[in-house]
Amino acid sequence: MRSDAEVIFSADDFGLTDSVNEAVERAHLEGALTQASLMVAAPAAADAVARARRLPSLNVGLHLVLVEGDSVLGHTALPTITGADGRFGADQVARGFRYFFSPAARRELAAEIRAQFEAFAATGLTLHHADSHKHMHMHPTVASLMIRIGREFGLRRIRVPAEPPAVLRASGDRPGFPTHALYAWSRVIRAQASRAGLSSPDHILGIRRSGHMTPERVNAYLEVLPSGSTEIYFHPATRRCRDLERLMPDYEHVAEFEALCAIRDRA
């Protein structure tokens, strides 16, 4: 690893299940994990908050959920963008069009984003950063609302999903057109964040291999890290459970937890 490379090891979906929460706590205490992103409306959110309060050195941010997950406000307040169960659907592309073109959807979206920041503030945890489930804040409407509303709650840092194709190639991957397109679009979001006075890591790793950040894959990335700051993000869990099997059947959650624990040098 280059001497001028800074690494941030991060975990998504904090609060989704007890096994995810346990992995976050243990990977922070026993491994390299330095930050986690909290789903405030997820089933195990209260347990995640309790663990975070015991870990003052763990940086916790908001994992904004606007696709494939639970809302804070529920269906009555969000009839355009949630199902009868108050959940956001997994139809990410169709949802993106709705968020962009429907005034009603945008009003509900703004209300829900505010509610999720309010729910995070109510935990008493310091807001270290914000990102989003399935990188939904790469959508221009979501990004604009997240940045504007987030700043009211002291937001200073966001994740910009900018996975460098050159780094992927150097590690043995073969990035295709979607990777190049997302990397190009990330410059727009980065500029938007910069204008708002928000910082972000220079690079992100974990998108192309999401759910498959095994020890071997992580070591391959660490060997070719570029200069500057790189956030490597994971979806760790100490064990598989029914919810993880249902939501992410092909993810290697336990292998990702093991990868974090195998890294002994903290960023």
Side-chain angles (χ1 to χ4, degrees):
M1 189 172 75
R2 299 171 59 113
S3 60
D4 58 351
E6 174 195 358
V7 192
I8 302 157
F9 297 101
S10 181
D12 283 3
D13 299 349
F14 194 29
L16 183 59
T17 68
D18 288 344
S19 62
V20 171
N21 297 347
E22 182 182 8
V24 168
E25 182 171 17
R26 287 184 54 190
H28 180 63
L29 294 174
E30 304 168 19
L33 187 71
T34 53
Q35 68 180 47
S37 298
L38 174 68
M39 293 172 144
V40 292
D47 176 71
V49 171
R51 292 175 190 265
R53 288 172 178 159
R54 298 198 298 264
L55 301 169
S57 57
L58 178 68
N59 294 320
V60 182
L62 173 63
H63 199 48
L64 197 64
V65 176
L66 301 167
V67 62
E68 199 175 3
D70 296 300
S71 68
V72 169
L73 294 178
H75 181 64
T76 301
L78 309 171
T80 308
I81 62 175
T82 65
D85 58 358
R87 284 179 58 84
F88 299 101
D91 52 339
Q92 191 162 6
V93 174
R95 189 162 294 278
F97 280 105
R98 191 179 311 156
Y99 289 166
F100 189 83
F101 289 107
S102 168
R106 290 197 300 274
R107 286 193 296 271
E108 293 176 19
L109 189 64
E112 175 64 17
I113 290 173
R114 180 174 297 279
Q116 290 191 31
F117 274 105
E118 287 175 344
F120 188 98
T123 68
L125 299 172
T126 299
L127 180 65
H128 178 262
H129 63 275
D131 48 46
S132 65
H133 192 46
K134 306 291 185 181
H135 305 302
M136 198 67 204
H137 68 292
M138 291 298 279
H139 188 291
T141 302
V142 176
S144 178
L145 290 170
M146 184 177 83
I147 290 170
R148 177 175 61 80
I149 295 170
R151 289 182 66 196
E152 297 177 29
F153 290 86
L155 181 64
R156 297 181 179 180
R157 183 183 183 91
I158 68 169
R159 173 193 295 164
V160 176
E163 195 165 43
V167 175
L168 297 180
R169 282 194 299 272
S171 72
D173 262 337
R174 294 183 179 179
F177 175 76
T179 299
H180 287 271
L182 183 63
Y183 189 63
W185 176 248
S186 72
R187 297 189 183 100
V188 176
I189 306 300
R190 186 179 299 280
Q192 191 175 356
S194 180
R195 287 194 299 271
L198 304 182
S199 66
S200 59
D202 298 315
H203 318 286
I204 294 291
L205 290 170
I207 301 172
R208 180 173 167 79
R209 298 285 184 162
S210 187
H212 306 284
M213 297 293 285
T214 61
E216 295 77 17
R217 172 50 42 194
V218 174
N219 286 334
Y221 285 157
L222 291 176
E223 289 296 320
V224 295
L225 282 184
S227 59
S229 60
T230 298
E231 179 184 347
I232 304 179
Y233 76 94
F234 300 76
H235 296 87
T238 53
R239 62 192 181 279
R240 297 286 283 172
C241 63
R242 184 177 300 175
D243 286 338
L244 294 181
E245 291 285 359
R246 175 175 55 86
L247 295 170
M248 293 165 274
D250 65 327
Y251 273 31
E252 299 177 80
H253 289 91
V254 177
E256 296 208 357
F257 167 63
E258 291 170 349
L260 281 164
C261 289
I263 303 165
R264 296 304 178 188
D265 295 327
R266 296 204 171 221

